[in-house]
Amino acid sequence: MAAPLDVLRAQLAEKDPAFWEGLARCTRDTHAYTELLTLSTMRKRGVRAFGAASGAPLRVALIGANALQALGDLVEQMLLAAGFAASVFLGEYDSYEFEIRDADSALNQFQPQVVLILPSERRCRYSGPVTDPLGVVQPFAAAWADDLLGLCRTLHDRTGAEILLANLALPGGFSLGAYRAKAPGSDWSFRKLTNLALGFAAPAYVHICDVEFLCARRGLLASRDDRAWFQSKQPGSPELLVDLAKEVAHLVTSLRRAPAKVLVLDLDNTLWGGIIGDDGIEGIEIGTTSPRGEAFRAFQEYILSLKDRGVLLAVCSKNEDAAARGPFEKHPEMLLRLKDIVAFYANWQPKSENIKAIATELGLGLDSFVFVDDNPAEVEIVRQFVPAVTTILLGADPADYRRQLEDSRLFEPLQLTGEDARRTDQYRVESERRALQSDATDMPTYLASLEMNAVISPFTAVDIPRVSQLTNKSNQFNLTTVRRTESEIRALMESPAHRCFTVRLSDRFGDHGLVVVAIGRVDLTTTPTSFHIDTWLMSCRVLKRQVEEVTLNELFRLATEAGCEEVVGVYRPTAKNAMVAELLPNFQFAETSASADERRYRRSATSYVPTETKIHATRPSRENS
């Protein structure tokens, strides 16, 4: 615990006002049920000693199909840690329907500002045969949800209270086994259907207390305590009670505090691995070149999702400005671009001063800012000099960055207005994609509708790790399965006899990234002169999108440019590349030899006519590549 209990006891004995701050801090830092109960006992003694708890007054009611004393103590304790001096009303065991409907009940007389309702999950069962189809079962689940929401409406109309409605924990036993997921009438499926109906139909004043999620996060069995249920009708295990209390406090806090608005980002070892000023663009870790690079990319992906739901992104980094902007402008694996950043501060000023400048520039309060950095010293400076800013010190492993930011819960919108907008966009995009896939009457129409763009580029220094990785892991669409190291890739780039290029593809649904690696070797000593396809591999994600034709066109263009009269291709069969066994014959290559190890083909370069495609292909100049 952050503060020893004996310190709190001494403060309590001396009636030191610091007791409340210490108690709140201890409560926030504690996750153990028994310790929270101990702190709850100290809170009650504090109320007797001081006359009242410290914090904003709040009337909270807990009602439901359970005994609620233990949960009530924990909720009151967590609310204290969140800054509330709560008066808590506890309903009688399994009397919540009566307490809501009776206008003169103690609940209605209490006039709560917030009410937590824990309905009976044990009564949420489908009464018909478990084999009934979805169309029969779903209306019953909707009716069950509608009854609950009707109670919420009645309570809200009488008291004006915000309602925290707990949804239903799923059964943790095997029971029907895997069949549970196929049977709409099973307890598991019926509760799922009911939870969905609750969430989708809940009005603005009803906030789902997601017990289903809490149990899944902790574990269904770890969330249950059957003995406690039979003995004292507890809602779940002690650990789940702690989770529930924390969730209630979070929801109550969210009702009164807006989520953070600005995410201020460090750069080096935060958005990418390495130091941009020392390592350069080619040396930083980002993207699919390594596990760490993937982790940084995943972190950026989550940050972009925050931007999409309205969070402003700012950069605050100790770097030269031009160097700091480089990856945003030039690195192909970066997801974040300069257009995503509303304020970019890369200099050698203290970060605390830069954050103040960002707040001034954006016209926003510092208390709406969250700063993330991997450097403890920088985080401490911000904590000390701009304490209103919430800071997050990232751990040593970038694989944990996303979870750290998610679990901070600082950007959760209450009414999901920004989230709704994002979901609408996603739904539209996904709907369009599905519509294209299912409704297209012919392939050319479908391909044209994708609005594809390909960028064909010679190998670049930035691409080397990715190219090497692809040559070492691509198995299916890979004619020769030649594995190469980064050093070997660099050597090929400098070889006058070789022509190496990549293809990146995007369409109106998004960017597919680097999807093709091709390497050709020019041989002008033979008759006829020839261009040998050393490597041709492609991501299967873009199969049959005419990327094959675009690649073939480029191979023949390079062959012609080099003065070659024919293009020679080889297929070397492996256990995994059968899908390209007929690739060259299908492109009118003639077989010249065949053995168990390889089949060789040729096609005239002088008579080759480029295949028209629905892809708009461009080639950046070498100066820009």
Side-chain angles (χ1 to χ4, degrees):
M1 297 175 65
L5 288 178
D6 55 355
V7 173
L8 288 176
R9 291 190 182 96
Q11 291 172 333
L12 186 58
E14 298 170 1
K15 293 188 178 182
D16 183 348
F19 165 79
W20 293 114
E21 183 181 347
L23 183 64
R25 185 169 58 252
C26 284
T27 302
R28 286 191 294 269
D29 292 341
T30 300
H31 302 279
Y33 175 78
T34 53
E35 290 181 359
L36 282 173
L37 287 184
T38 299
L39 293 171
S40 176
T41 300
M42 298 187 74
R43 171 178 49 79
K44 294 173 183 176
R45 292 174 180 168
V47 170
R48 289 196 293 271
F50 291 91
S54 174
L58 182 72
R59 295 188 304 279
V60 179
L62 279 65
I63 58 177
N66 310 90
L68 297 166
Q69 183 63 55
L71 178 61
D73 283 344
L74 296 180
V75 167
E76 192 169 351
Q77 190 64 27
M78 295 309 303
L79 286 173
L80 173 80
F84 297 99
S87 300
V88 177
F89 172 92
L90 299 179
E92 297 294 328
Y93 164 68
D94 204 14
S95 299
Y96 62 101
E97 294 187 41
F98 166 78
E99 291 167 331
I100 291 173
R101 291 194 171 98
D102 181 4
D104 297 322
S105 70
L107 169 67
N108 284 303
Q109 291 179 10
F110 180 68
Q111 285 293 295
Q113 296 166 283
V114 179
V115 181
L116 171 66
I117 303 176
L118 285 161
S120 172
E121 63 189 33
R122 295 169 189 268
R123 289 201 293 271
C124 183
R125 305 190 68 179
Y126 178 60
S127 57
V130 74
T131 54
D132 276 352
L134 180 63
V136 174
V137 176
Q138 200 161 28
F140 284 89
W144 217 94
D146 192 54
D147 285 346
L148 272 177
L149 294 174
L151 289 172
C152 295
R153 183 168 55 252
T154 298
L155 184 56
H156 177 74
D157 289 345
R158 284 181 176 156
T159 65
E162 297 289 326
I163 311 296
L164 311 183
L165 176 60
N167 61 13
L168 308 168
L170 303 183
F174 284 108
S175 189
L176 290 173
Y179 187 68
R180 76 177 74 83
K182 299 179 68 174
S186 70
D187 286 351
W188 193 88
S189 295
F190 191 70
R191 289 186 198 175
K192 287 280 289 184
L193 291 170
T194 302
N195 285 344
L196 289 172
L198 283 173
F200 293 150
Y205 56 83
V206 173
H207 313 279
I208 299 298
C209 181
D210 201 345
V211 173
E212 180 188 349
F213 170 80
L214 294 176
C215 292
R217 183 176 167 92
R218 178 167 291 283
L220 291 178
L221 295 181
S223 301
R224 290 178 52 171
D225 190 335
D226 291 335
R227 182 186 299 273
W229 166 256
F230 290 119
Q231 289 183 343
S232 60
K233 299 298 183 281
Q234 295 302 311
S237 68
E239 292 77 16
L240 179 64
L241 296 189
V242 174
D243 292 343
L244 265 173
K246 288 179 177 289
E247 184 68 11
V248 169
H250 174 76
L251 291 171
V252 169
T253 302
S254 299
L255 291 170
R256 287 158 176 76
R257 295 176 190 164
K261 296 177 180 176
V262 184
L263 177 60
V264 183
L265 300 158
D266 172 50
L267 297 181
D268 294 332
N269 291 315
T270 295
L271 290 188
W272 54 69
I275 310 296
I276 187 63
D278 296 335
D279 302 321
I281 292 178
E282 297 86 357
I284 62 173
E285 288 182 291
I286 178 64
T288 53
T289 56
S290 68
R292 278 175 56 83
E294 282 194 66
F296 284 113
R297 186 179 172 92
F299 187 48
Q300 290 195 18
E301 185 177 55
Y302 178 64
I303 291 169
L304 271 178
S305 76
L306 294 178
K307 190 212 82 170
D308 290 342
R309 66 191 199 208
V311 176
L312 302 177
L313 304 181
V315 163
C316 179
S317 171
K318 285 190 172 177
N319 262 307
E320 294 294 340
D321 184 81
R325 290 175 185 268
F328 292 87
E329 296 171 328
K330 300 175 183 176
H331 201 296
E333 299 293 340
M334 281 282 292
L335 294 180
L336 287 167
R337 297 296 176 183
L338 290 178
K339 64 181 176 57
D340 302 314
I341 309 297
V342 296
F344 198 104
Y345 282 67
N347 52 43
W348 302 104
Q349 297 299 313
K351 292 188 177 181
S352 54
E353 296 303 313
N354 281 333
I355 291 175
K356 291 177 183 176
I358 294 171
T360 301
E361 179 180 331
L362 299 179
L364 295 171
L366 287 167
D367 59 351
S368 65
F369 279 56
V370 177
F371 172 64
V372 295
D373 199 318
D374 68 300
N375 188 325
E378 298 294 348
V379 168
E380 186 58 30
I381 288 173
V382 173
R383 281 176 179 165
Q384 289 191 19
F385 291 94
V386 276
V389 174
T390 301
T391 57
I392 296 176
L393 174 60
L394 299 172
D397 190 346
D400 296 330
Y401 286 5
R402 174 173 179 151
R403 182 187 55 76
Q404 275 191 264
L405 196 52
E406 282 181 320
D407 288 355
S408 74
R409 308 192 69 175
L410 293 166
F411 297 102
E412 293 181 9
L414 181 60
Q415 290 297 339
L416 302 179
T417 52
E419 187 77 9
D420 285 345
R422 187 174 65 85
R423 284 176 181 167
T424 299
D425 290 339
Q426 289 178 336
Y427 183 80
R428 176 181 56 77
V429 169
E430 290 304 319
S431 296
E432 290 174 358
R433 194 189 297 274
R434 285 195 298 269
L436 282 173
Q437 292 175 338
S438 60
D439 295 340
T441 56
D442 59 83
M443 186 57 70
T445 301
Y446 168 64
L447 293 175
S449 68
L450 291 176
E451 301 174 8
M452 293 181 287
N453 291 285
V455 177
I456 303 169
S457 171
F459 286 0
T460 65
V462 169
D463 286 334
I464 289 174
R466 176 62 172 160
V467 170
S468 176
Q469 182 191 51
L470 286 173
T471 63
N472 287 301
K473 80 172 190 178
S474 297
N475 294 309
Q476 297 184 88
F477 196 110
N478 195 334
L479 274 177
T480 53
T481 319
V482 177
R483 311 302 191 186
R484 285 192 168 93
T485 65
E486 291 188 22
S487 297
E488 290 170 331
I489 297 295
R490 289 183 188 277
L492 286 172
M493 292 170 63
E494 297 171 359
S495 166
H498 288 85
R499 303 292 185 271
C500 313
F501 66 93
T502 61
V503 178
R504 295 178 180 274
L505 183 72
S506 62
D507 62 25
R508 65 188 176 96
F509 296 113
D511 188 358
H512 294 278
L514 197 160
V515 295
V516 171
V517 171
I519 300 171
R521 177 175 58 82
V522 175
D523 188 350
L524 301 179
T525 64
T526 60
T527 302
T529 53
S530 56
F531 184 93
H532 296 261
I533 302 174
D534 175 280
T535 295
W536 182 356
L537 61 86
M538 189 180 81
S539 169
C540 294
R541 292 181 290 114
V542 296
L543 197 65
K544 303 298 183 185
R545 297 272 295 271
Q546 294 189 325
V547 180
E548 301 96 312
E549 285 81 358
V550 167
T551 305
L552 190 71
N553 288 343
E554 181 65 9
L555 286 168
F556 275 89
R557 189 190 71 79
L558 291 172
T560 302
E561 184 181 73
C564 297
E565 298 166 297
E566 67 174 8
V567 173
V568 176
V570 180
Y571 168 64
R572 296 194 180 99
T574 69
K576 298 181 178 179
N577 71 347
M579 69 184 306
V580 291
E582 300 303 317
L583 177 70
L584 295 175
N586 289 340
F587 281 135
Q588 288 79 55
F589 278 71
E591 185 175 288
T592 57
S593 66
S595 68
D597 296 327
E598 67 174 34
R599 296 205 297 268
R600 302 183 70 83
Y601 302 87
R602 65 169 297 277
R603 181 174 174 179
S604 170
T606 57
S607 62
Y608 180 80
V609 177
T611 304
E612 292 187 2
T613 72
K614 303 298 182 183
I615 300 175
H616 176 65
T618 58
R619 299 176 189 82
S621 66
R622 285 185 177 273
E623 289 75 14
N624 296 330
S625 63

